[in-house]
Coordinates of all heavy atoms in Angstrom, one line a residue:
N98 N 19.9 -34.0 28.4 CA 20.5 -35.3 28.9 C 20.2 -36.5 28.0 O 19.7 -37.5 28.5 CB 20.0 -35.5 30.3 CG 20.9 -36.4 31.1 OD1 22.1 -36.6 30.8 ND2 20.4 -37.0 32.2
P99 N 20.6 -36.5 26.7 CA 20.4 -37.6 25.9 C 21.3 -38.8 26.2 O 22.4 -38.6 26.6 CB 20.7 -37.0 24.5 CG 21.7 -36.0 24.7 CD 21.4 -35.4 26.1
K100 N 20.7 -40.0 26.0 CA 21.5 -41.2 26.2 C 22.4 -41.5 24.9 O 23.4 -42.1 25.0 CB 20.6 -42.4 26.4 CG 19.9 -42.4 27.7 CD 20.9 -43.0 28.7 CE 20.1 -43.4 30.0 NZ 21.1 -43.8 31.0
V101 N 21.9 -41.0 23.8 CA 22.6 -41.3 22.5 C 22.8 -39.9 21.8 O 21.8 -39.2 21.6 CB 21.9 -42.3 21.6 CG1 22.7 -42.6 20.3 CG2 21.7 -43.6 22.4
I102 N 24.0 -39.6 21.3 CA 24.3 -38.4 20.6 C 25.0 -38.8 19.3 O 26.0 -39.5 19.3 CB 25.1 -37.4 21.3 CG1 24.5 -37.1 22.7 CG2 25.3 -36.1 20.5 CD1 25.4 -36.2 23.6
Y103 N 24.4 -38.4 18.2 CA 25.1 -38.6 16.9 C 25.8 -37.3 16.4 O 25.1 -36.3 16.3 CB 24.0 -38.9 15.8 CG 23.3 -40.3 16.0 CD1 22.3 -40.6 15.1 CD2 23.7 -41.2 16.9 CE1 21.6 -41.8 15.2 CE2 23.1 -42.4 17.0 CZ 22.0 -42.7 16.2 OH 21.4 -43.9 16.3
F104 N 27.1 -37.3 16.3 CA 27.8 -36.2 15.8 C 28.1 -36.4 14.3 O 27.7 -37.4 13.7 CB 29.2 -36.1 16.6 CG 29.1 -35.5 17.9 CD1 28.9 -36.3 19.0 CD2 29.2 -34.1 18.1 CE1 28.8 -35.7 20.3 CE2 29.1 -33.6 19.3 CZ 28.9 -34.3 20.5
Y105 N 28.9 -35.5 13.7 CA 29.4 -35.6 12.4 C 30.9 -35.3 12.4 O 31.3 -34.5 13.3 CB 28.7 -34.7 11.4 CG 28.8 -33.2 11.6 CD1 29.9 -32.5 11.1 CD2 27.9 -32.6 12.5 CE1 30.1 -31.2 11.4 CE2 28.1 -31.2 12.8 CZ 29.2 -30.5 12.2 OH 29.4 -29.2 12.5
Y106 N 31.7 -35.8 11.5 CA 33.1 -35.5 11.4 C 33.2 -34.3 10.5 O 32.8 -34.4 9.3 CB 33.9 -36.7 10.9 CG 35.3 -36.7 11.4 CD1 35.7 -37.5 12.4 CD2 36.3 -35.9 10.8 CE1 37.0 -37.6 12.9 CE2 37.6 -35.9 11.3 CZ 37.9 -36.7 12.3 OH 39.2 -36.7 12.8
P107 N 33.8 -33.2 10.9 CA 33.8 -31.9 10.1 C 34.7 -32.1 8.9 O 35.7 -32.8 8.9 CB 34.4 -30.9 11.0 CG 35.2 -31.6 12.0 CD 34.5 -33.0 12.2
L108 N 34.2 -31.4 7.8 CA 35.0 -31.4 6.5 C 35.2 -30.0 6.1 O 34.3 -29.2 6.2 CB 34.2 -32.2 5.5 CG 34.9 -32.3 4.1 CD1 36.1 -33.2 4.2 CD2 33.9 -32.9 3.1
G109 N 36.4 -29.6 5.8 CA 36.7 -28.3 5.3 C 36.4 -27.2 6.4 O 36.9 -27.3 7.5
S110 N 35.6 -26.3 6.1 CA 35.3 -25.2 6.9 C 34.1 -25.3 7.8 O 33.6 -24.4 8.4 CB 35.2 -23.9 6.1 OG 34.1 -24.0 5.2
E111 N 33.6 -26.6 7.9 CA 32.4 -26.8 8.8 C 32.7 -26.6 10.3 O 33.9 -26.6 10.7 CB 31.9 -28.3 8.7 CG 31.3 -28.6 7.4 CD 30.8 -30.1 7.3 OE1 31.4 -31.0 7.9 OE2 29.8 -30.3 6.5
V112 N 31.7 -26.4 11.1 CA 31.8 -26.2 12.5 C 32.5 -27.5 13.0 O 32.0 -28.6 12.7 CB 30.4 -26.0 13.2 CG1 30.6 -26.1 14.7 CG2 29.8 -24.7 12.7
N113 N 33.5 -27.3 13.8 CA 34.2 -28.5 14.4 C 33.8 -28.8 15.8 O 34.1 -28.0 16.8 CB 35.7 -28.2 14.4 CG 36.5 -29.3 15.0 OD1 36.0 -30.4 15.3 ND2 37.8 -29.1 15.1
L114 N 33.0 -29.9 16.0 CA 32.5 -30.3 17.3 C 33.3 -31.4 17.9 O 32.9 -32.0 18.9 CB 31.0 -30.7 17.1 CG 30.1 -29.5 16.6 CD1 28.7 -30.1 16.4 CD2 30.1 -28.4 17.6
L115 N 34.4 -31.8 17.3 CA 35.2 -32.9 17.8 C 35.7 -32.7 19.2 O 35.7 -33.7 20.0 CB 36.4 -33.2 16.8 CG 36.0 -33.8 15.4 CD1 37.3 -34.0 14.6 CD2 35.2 -35.0 15.5
P116 N 36.1 -31.5 19.6 CA 36.5 -31.4 21.0 C 35.3 -31.7 22.0 O 35.6 -32.3 23.0 CB 36.8 -29.9 21.1 CG 37.2 -29.5 19.8 CD 36.3 -30.3 18.9
L117 N 34.1 -31.4 21.7 CA 33.0 -31.8 22.5 C 32.7 -33.3 22.5 O 32.5 -33.9 23.5 CB 31.7 -31.0 22.1 CG 30.4 -31.4 22.9 CD1 30.6 -31.2 24.4 CD2 29.2 -30.7 22.4
A118 N 32.8 -33.9 21.3 CA 32.6 -35.3 21.2 C 33.7 -36.0 22.0 O 33.4 -37.0 22.8 CB 32.7 -35.8 19.8
E119 N 34.9 -35.5 22.0 CA 36.0 -36.1 22.7 C 35.8 -36.0 24.2 O 36.0 -36.9 25.0 CB 37.3 -35.5 22.3 CG 38.6 -36.2 22.9 CD 39.8 -35.7 22.3 OE1 40.0 -34.5 22.1 OE2 40.7 -36.5 22.1
E120 N 35.3 -34.8 24.6 CA 35.0 -34.6 26.1 C 34.0 -35.5 26.6 O 34.1 -36.1 27.6 CB 34.6 -33.1 26.2 CG 34.2 -32.7 27.6 CD 33.7 -31.3 27.7 OE1 34.0 -30.5 26.8 OE2 32.9 -31.1 28.6
L121 N 32.9 -35.7 25.8 CA 31.8 -36.6 26.2 C 32.3 -38.1 26.2 O 31.9 -38.8 27.1 CB 30.6 -36.4 25.3 CG 29.9 -35.0 25.3 CD1 28.9 -34.9 24.3 CD2 29.3 -34.8 26.7
L122 N 33.1 -38.4 25.3 CA 33.7 -39.8 25.3 C 34.6 -40.0 26.5 O 34.5 -41.1 27.1 CB 34.5 -40.0 24.0 CG 33.7 -40.3 22.7 CD1 34.6 -40.2 21.5 CD2 33.0 -41.7 22.8
K123 N 35.4 -39.0 26.9 CA 36.2 -39.2 28.1 C 35.4 -39.3 29.3 O 35.7 -40.1 30.2 CB 37.2 -38.0 28.2 CG 38.3 -38.1 27.3 CD 39.2 -36.9 27.4 CE 40.4 -36.9 26.4 NZ 41.2 -35.7 26.4
E124 N 34.3 -38.5 29.4 CA 33.3 -38.6 30.5 C 32.8 -40.0 30.6 O 32.7 -40.6 31.7 CB 32.1 -37.7 30.3 CG 32.3 -36.4 31.0 CD 31.0 -35.5 30.7 OE1 29.9 -36.1 30.4 OE2 31.1 -34.3 30.9
E125 N 32.4 -40.5 29.5 CA 31.7 -41.8 29.4 C 32.6 -42.9 29.9 O 32.2 -43.9 30.6 CB 31.2 -42.1 28.0 CG 30.5 -43.5 27.9 CD 29.3 -43.7 28.8 OE1 28.7 -42.7 29.2 OE2 29.1 -44.9 29.1
Y126 N 33.9 -42.8 29.5 CA 34.8 -43.9 29.8 C 35.8 -43.6 30.9 O 36.7 -44.4 31.1 CB 35.6 -44.3 28.5 CG 34.6 -44.9 27.5 CD1 34.2 -44.1 26.4 CD2 34.2 -46.2 27.6 CE1 33.2 -44.6 25.5 CE2 33.3 -46.7 26.7 CZ 32.8 -45.9 25.7 OH 31.9 -46.4 24.8
S127 N 35.5 -42.6 31.7 CA 36.4 -42.4 32.9 C 35.7 -43.0 34.1 O 34.5 -43.2 34.2 CB 36.5 -40.9 33.1 OG 35.3 -40.3 33.6
A128 N 36.5 -43.2 35.1 CA 36.0 -43.8 36.4 C 35.1 -42.9 37.1 O 34.1 -43.4 37.7 CB 37.2 -44.2 37.3
E129 N 35.3 -41.6 37.0 CA 34.4 -40.6 37.7 C 33.4 -40.1 36.7 O 33.0 -38.9 36.8 CB 35.2 -39.5 38.2 CG 36.5 -39.8 39.0 CD 37.7 -40.1 38.2 OE1 37.9 -39.4 37.2 OE2 38.4 -41.0 38.5
A130 N 32.9 -40.9 35.8 CA 32.0 -40.3 34.8 C 30.8 -39.6 35.3 O 30.1 -40.1 36.2 CB 31.5 -41.5 33.9
A131 N 30.6 -38.4 34.8 CA 29.4 -37.6 35.2 C 28.3 -37.8 34.1 O 27.2 -37.3 34.3 CB 29.8 -36.1 35.2
A132 N 28.7 -38.5 33.1 CA 27.7 -38.8 32.0 C 26.7 -39.8 32.5 O 27.0 -40.6 33.3 CB 28.4 -39.3 30.8
P133 N 25.5 -39.8 31.9 CA 24.5 -40.8 32.2 C 25.1 -42.2 31.8 O 25.8 -42.3 30.8 CB 23.3 -40.4 31.4 CG 23.8 -39.5 30.3 CD 25.0 -38.8 30.8

């Protein structure tokens, strides 16, 4: 349950975590946010 998460933007064949970052951003900025 971290308050702050630092991601990276994938380059080439790196692991792509953008879908998770996007999901967490939507949580944070939605009216029904389940995020801290």
